[in-house]
Amino acid sequence: MNYDSKHHCLWLGAEKRLFRYDIARKEFQEKQLFSNNTINTISIDSSGNIWVGTDSGICTYNDETGNEKYLMHSSRSNKYVIWAIFEDKNKNIWVGTDSGLSLYKNNPFVQIHRWEDMSDQNEGNRMTCIFKDSRGNYWFGGTNGLGRLAPGKKQLDWYKVSDKHFFISHDRIRSIYEDSDRDLWVGTNESINRFDYNENRFIHYTIMDSAQIRSADWCQSVFGDTEGHLWISSFLGGVFRVDKKNLIAQEGRIYLAEKTIIRIPEGSDYPATGYKLPYWINWVIYGSQQMGMD
């Protein structure tokens, strides 16, 4: 899923289906594209092109011209299974695959960077999210931890739950976000983590609703608003709104969210401690797991 600010719409990928959701009109439109490809991730570049990562490579699409293009394709190998796509300030496209990283510059040449070479270890990592922070660090999240490539370095730091020096709460990395205060937040299967640049370590936060029934585990995304809140979406837990300053001050303790937005099934005995989601938001949040979106 990705937000298209130019057209004020959401792009959502599913099993061999691509949808465009018009936020103003509250209308879904299915695009008859990539019908033979499972969509794993969607990204939008600075020119407004839609980049779609699939099980067999990368596809690009321009909604204004209708042009579509296949950049890499293979049906025989997992080399081109695409899990993450990111555009840097130089308009280079970074691609996360089962085999590591690919760098697509503004030409047909593709550079392949093996994770084992970057980490100097014999373990692999399926890349599911890529991010560059305001300090120039590249962050590579996957199913086996989080890598940080600092400016001027060729070898990355690898944060994993089993590493005492480079610890993070869970090895399954689902989202990376930098807020307006330049704080870096990482969503994992074990809630969220904030990176302390001074101490070079991650701080883990456990977030639950007021009834302490639902948690922010399996964090799908993190977003900060202009009023000092963090919005955290999680699989099954719903959406949590927390006061960022209060959250940081309560390090090491369970934090009860100020607001929880949940989908309450019909006939459920779940206490009404939150706000019920509109149907389309339910579809976006819960569909991300049930229908294969990333």
Side-chain angles (χ1 to χ4, degrees):
M1 180 183 69
N2 209 312
Y3 174 63
D4 186 340
S5 59
K6 182 178 180 180
H7 300 99
H8 195 49
C9 67
L10 289 171
W11 290 93
L12 305 106
E15 184 74 19
K16 301 181 180 180
R17 303 170 77 185
L18 179 67
F19 295 92
R20 182 184 188 275
Y21 179 76
D22 189 306
I23 297 175
R25 296 180 179 180
K26 299 183 179 180
E27 294 178 351
F28 277 105
Q29 178 186 8
E30 182 177 355
K31 296 291 184 178
Q32 301 298 321
L33 304 164
F34 324 129
S35 58
N36 295 321
N37 290 285
T38 297
I39 297 174
N40 299 317
T41 186
I42 299 173
S43 182
I44 303 171
D45 67 19
S46 54
S47 299
N49 297 303
I50 313 299
W51 291 69
V52 179
T54 75
D55 280 353
S56 56
I58 298 177
C59 311
T60 64
Y61 171 69
N62 188 292
D63 196 39
E64 295 181 354
T65 64
N67 292 333
E68 56 181 295
K69 181 180 179 182
Y70 289 82
L71 299 179
M72 296 189 294
H73 179 77
S74 172
S75 58
R76 299 180 180 180
S77 169
N78 66 352
K79 180 179 180 180
Y80 294 130
V81 177
I82 309 301
W83 297 104
I85 301 174
F86 171 78
E87 182 189 39
D88 64 25
K89 66 178 182 179
N90 297 318
K91 299 185 178 182
N92 297 313
I93 302 295
W94 294 80
V95 180
T97 73
D98 272 353
S99 304
L101 294 166
S102 299
L103 176 61
Y104 180 84
K105 296 185 178 181
N106 289 307
N107 56 62
F109 180 68
V110 177
Q111 295 180 352
I112 307 297
H113 300 270
R114 296 178 67 248
W115 181 262
E116 292 86 344
D117 297 334
M118 296 175 66
S119 64
D120 197 28
Q121 298 186 38
N122 292 322
E123 292 184 61
N125 195 359
R126 175 186 291 175
M127 295 292 99
T128 56
C129 46
I130 304 171
F131 185 80
K132 185 179 182 181
D133 66 24
S134 60
R135 295 171 172 84
N137 298 284
Y138 279 98
W139 298 88
F140 307 104
T143 56
N144 192 22
L146 176 72
R148 175 197 181 194
L149 187 63
K153 289 190 176 182
K154 295 184 178 180
Q155 186 172 322
L156 51 77
D157 296 330
W158 194 350
Y159 296 85
K160 294 191 290 184
V161 70
S162 60
D163 196 312
K164 294 181 180 179
H165 299 289
F166 297 102
F167 173 81
I168 196 165
S169 64
H170 200 283
D171 288 340
R172 179 61 167 92
I173 310 301
R174 295 188 173 273
S175 59
I176 307 171
Y177 171 72
E178 184 180 41
D179 64 28
S180 58
D181 297 321
R182 302 177 74 197
D183 284 324
L184 188 87
W185 301 87
V186 177
T188 74
N189 277 10
E190 193 72 25
S191 192
I192 65 173
N193 298 259
R194 179 177 62 89
F195 188 68
D196 188 320
Y197 286 91
N198 294 324
E199 298 184 9
N200 194 33
R201 70 182 182 99
F202 277 101
I203 301 170
H204 174 234
Y205 298 92
T206 300
I207 299 169
M208 301 192 74
D209 64 1
S210 58
Q212 298 193 44
I213 295 176
R214 294 175 179 258
S215 74
D217 290 350
W218 284 54
C219 172
Q220 298 295 102
S221 62
V222 183
F223 176 76
D225 62 24
T226 58
E227 298 178 353
H229 302 122
L230 291 176
W231 295 80
I232 303 156
S233 69
S234 67
F235 178 52
L236 295 181
V239 180
F240 299 81
R241 192 194 75 180
V242 301
D243 183 282
K244 176 188 164 181
K245 289 184 178 180
N246 291 340
L247 175 68
I248 293 176
Q250 292 192 28
E251 176 186 343
R253 292 179 287 174
I254 295 176
Y255 187 86
L256 303 183
E258 287 81 18
K259 178 183 288 188
T260 309
I261 307 175
I262 59 174
R263 181 179 66 173
I264 304 175
E266 296 296 331
S268 172
D269 293 330
Y270 183 78
T273 57
Y275 296 76
K276 190 171 181 180
L277 286 172
Y279 169 76
W280 74 270
I281 298 182
N282 280 323
W283 195 93
V284 170
I285 295 173
Y286 290 86
S288 64
Q289 285 293 327
Q290 296 170 357
M291 300 188 68
M293 293 182 294
D294 194 356

